[in-house]
Amino acid sequence: MTNSTTHWTTLYKNINIATMTEASNSYGIINQGALAIATGKIAWLGKESDLPYFDENTVEVIDGNNQWLTPGLIDCHTHIIYGGNRANEFELRLQGASYEEIANNGGGIVSTVNATRQASENELFNSALKRLTAMQQQGLTTVEIKSGYGLDLNTEIKMLKVATKLSEKLAITVKRTFLGAHALPIEFKNNANGYIDLVVNEMLPQICAQKLADSVDVFCEGIGFNLAQTERVFKAAKRHNLPIKVHAEQLSDLGASELAAQYQALSSEHLEFLSEKGIKAMAQADMTAVLLPGAFYFLRETKLPPIEQLRKNNVAMAIASDANPGSSPIHSIQLMLNMACTLFRLTPIEALAGITCNAAKALGIDNHTGMLKVGFDADLALWDISQPAELCYQFGVNPLTTLIKQGKSIL
Ligand code: NIG
Ligand code: FE
């Protein structure tokens, strides 16, 4: 990156900046700051009083009115492409049925699979577009979206194509995760190993050939897949050079995080039942713990993820919405900030790091986004707040005033 100001296109002045460059240790605050953009990247940032000379005739100068600038937000774990909804199961759970009972009786993920198989690509696109538009309006510039409601080759491909189209329609980066091993489809009842054969021998190769996935995920759980099956998917992901993520230790401790660490996974996600051994293994492998307070809340879980031990072991913590029809029909990253603090007792700094720098780490894109640094993507959110903690503290009034994706103002 050149020091020259001649390529600057836009300059934000009179702003307070939370750079989020120090992980969970501080906001990295620059008061009375300025930030310049050139070719979609951050070209300069610092104190306004330290601004170098630039040509006011060629640079658009924007007065930030003393508002706060943060990295554009990142929701690193969602399942927003699906048919139908599961409001009926919400009612059943309120009458006493558990999430696992509903799944074991043919409801749960499998009921969404039926609706998703029946929906056309267009229908899936339109319903997901509504969700993603609402999510973007809360400050998202990057989102991860998982497949996993198809569980057959064509529907998994249909979902991943919709994910690709969403990023073309909205100015938002979409990271696509292949979650073929999400649940056992009816046609493979009592034959989970046979289904894993299909996932690793047919689905993954075809999806890779069409370049439709950026990573691979598995739901390792009693109602999902066991460790041996999970490992087969990890091995296949390695063969295809795709990064690994895992739904782990959500309802029980199967040791999926330790297994994922052996495969240098990017992240392990949910983690309410994560053991000390799992934490050590994650720390060793520099994995990110993705915490999902929306699912914890919506399933009325009582066991908290081991936040204090994750902290002690310096495991980076990301926060995500897990937006999905069954365990977290919640499409608000701002609400996740609040819940990360109130339910999981994260500090507001940790919560904001969880949806910026640490979320980028969970997606393997922390070398160019999630922080405000020279050379990084100019993915920025401008907030009408008086201090960063306000983002976590109140909920329901949207303080976002401007959203910038790769240097372009989109909201
Ligand atoms: O992250 N845990 C597995 N998958 C989703 C739930 C999906 C569903 O219930 O539809 C989750 O919670
Ligand atoms: Fe999930």
Side-chain angles (χ1 to χ4, degrees), residues 219-250:
F219 185 23
C220 185
E221 187 60 67
I223 57 169
F225 295 93
N226 67 27
L227 274 184
Q229 291 153 354
T230 300
E231 185 165 20
R232 290 185 59 204
V233 180
F234 288 174
K235 284 196 166 132
K238 281 272 169 208
R239 282 199 297 278
H240 289 278
N241 273 324
L242 281 181
I244 292 167
K245 309 175 76 63
V246 64
H247 279 69
E249 280 71 80
Q250 179 186 9

Side-chain angles (χ1 to χ4, degrees), residues 77 79 86 99 108-109 112 149 182 219 247 250 270 292 295 322 324-327:
H77 179 145
H79 313 243
R86 306 235 290 277
Y99 182 68
I109 294 172
T112 298
Y149 291 124
H182 193 196
F219 185 23
H247 279 69
Q250 179 186 9
H270 281 288
L292 305 167
D322 196 16
N324 76 70
S327 68

Side-chain angles (χ1 to χ4, degrees), residues 3-77:
N3 282 330
S4 150
T5 65
T6 51
H7 295 104
W8 289 11
T9 45
T10 315
L11 176 72
Y12 283 86
K13 276 185 20 175
N14 192 17
I15 48 173
N16 302 294
I17 305 175
T19 61
M20 304 312 295
T21 46
E22 294 167 44
S24 300
N25 297 321
S26 89
Y27 293 115
I29 290 177
I30 304 172
N31 286 122
Q32 289 155 350
L35 181 144
I37 299 171
T39 55
K41 305 275 181 202
I42 298 170
W44 188 93
L45 80 169
K47 284 264 180 212
E48 199 175 313
S49 53
D50 293 337
L51 263 174
Y53 169 80
F54 64 94
D55 182 352
E56 301 224 6
N57 297 315
T58 58
V59 179
E60 182 189 15
V61 180
I62 296 170
D63 184 344
N65 289 317
N66 204 30
Q67 296 182 90
W68 279 82
L69 192 74
T70 67
L73 307 183
I74 300 171
D75 193 340
C76 67
H77 179 145

Side-chain angles (χ1 to χ4, degrees), residues 170-182:
L170 299 175
I172 187 165
T173 298
V174 175
K175 287 292 183 188
R176 304 153 305 173
T177 300
F178 171 54
L179 177 56
H182 193 196

